[in-house]
Amino acid sequence: MGLLDFLKDTGEKLFGKDNPQPEDVKKMLNDDLPGVEITGVMINDGTVSLHGTADSYSTKNKAVLMAGNVKGIDKVNDDNLKVDTGEPEAPPEPVVEYYTIQSGDSLSKIAKAKYGDAMKYPTIFEANKEVIKDPNKIYPGQKIVIPKLEA
């Protein structure tokens, strides 16, 4: 994926701090996201670089979203976050659709726009539950993933 942009002045403060520290980002990801092992984090002028492994592309995407939705982070570089599925060769990285929440959005409004059915909002919530703790509490500038609906 490479470098993904976020809004620096939005997001949640990590451990109550205005400026996220590498060890705080590492602890948050390792503690809150099963399937990821972050071995190193570097932060330089709002850009965080993640180093380690994830057990799937979905887990890797969640790690990027979690790190990017921290106040003070405006870019996430995941080039050194490798996917290790346990198979001899990892499958190709799937195309992921990201969405930046706008003022006035709700998950049901986003589901209506993306899927044509507002009642499919739980699909969006489940795909982002590491980033969205409460489906009624989202904020402008927050970046989420829009999962593909299964047939």
Side-chain angles (χ1 to χ4, degrees):
M1 185 174 1
L3 200 61
L4 190 63
D5 291 326
F6 291 83
L7 296 177
K8 189 173 191 169
D9 293 327
T10 62
E12 296 186 31
K13 290 182 181 180
L14 195 55
F15 304 113
K17 298 177 184 174
D18 285 326
N19 295 313
Q21 299 299 307
E23 63 272 8
D24 295 333
V25 174
K26 180 179 175 182
K27 180 173 178 27
M28 172 196 61
L29 292 172
N30 285 330
D31 289 354
D32 296 347
L33 185 58
V36 72
E37 182 180 345
I38 301 298
T39 56
V41 173
M42 294 175 23
I43 300 176
N44 184 12
D45 196 28
T47 299
V48 65
S49 295
L50 302 176
H51 300 259
T53 58
D55 64 3
S56 70
Y57 286 106
S58 175
T59 302
K60 179 179 179 177
N61 290 333
K62 288 177 183 180
V64 169
L65 287 173
M66 289 173 72
N69 282 308
V70 169
K71 188 170 184 158
I73 301 295
D74 64 350
K75 290 182 177 40
V76 177
N77 183 338
D78 68 350
D79 286 341
N80 293 307
L81 182 56
K82 305 300 180 194
V83 175
D84 183 3
T85 62
E87 300 296 322
E89 187 174 316
E93 188 168 352
V95 175
V96 177
E97 180 182 357
Y98 292 100
Y99 179 79
T100 302
I101 295 173
Q102 307 297 311
S103 181
D105 274 347
S106 66
L107 292 184
S108 58
K109 183 178 176 182
I110 297 167
K112 176 74 173 162
K114 296 295 182 178
Y115 304 139
D117 183 353
M119 295 310 293
K120 296 214 183 277
Y121 78 89
T123 302
I124 297 172
F125 175 65
E126 283 300 314
N128 292 282
K129 64 185 174 185
E130 290 82 5
V131 177
I132 302 172
K133 303 299 184 200
D134 180 337
N136 297 311
K137 293 183 181 176
I138 59 176
Y139 54 87
Q142 188 176 24
K143 191 168 280 202
I144 60 173
V145 65
I146 304 296
K148 292 190 185 307
L149 288 179
E150 296 189 22

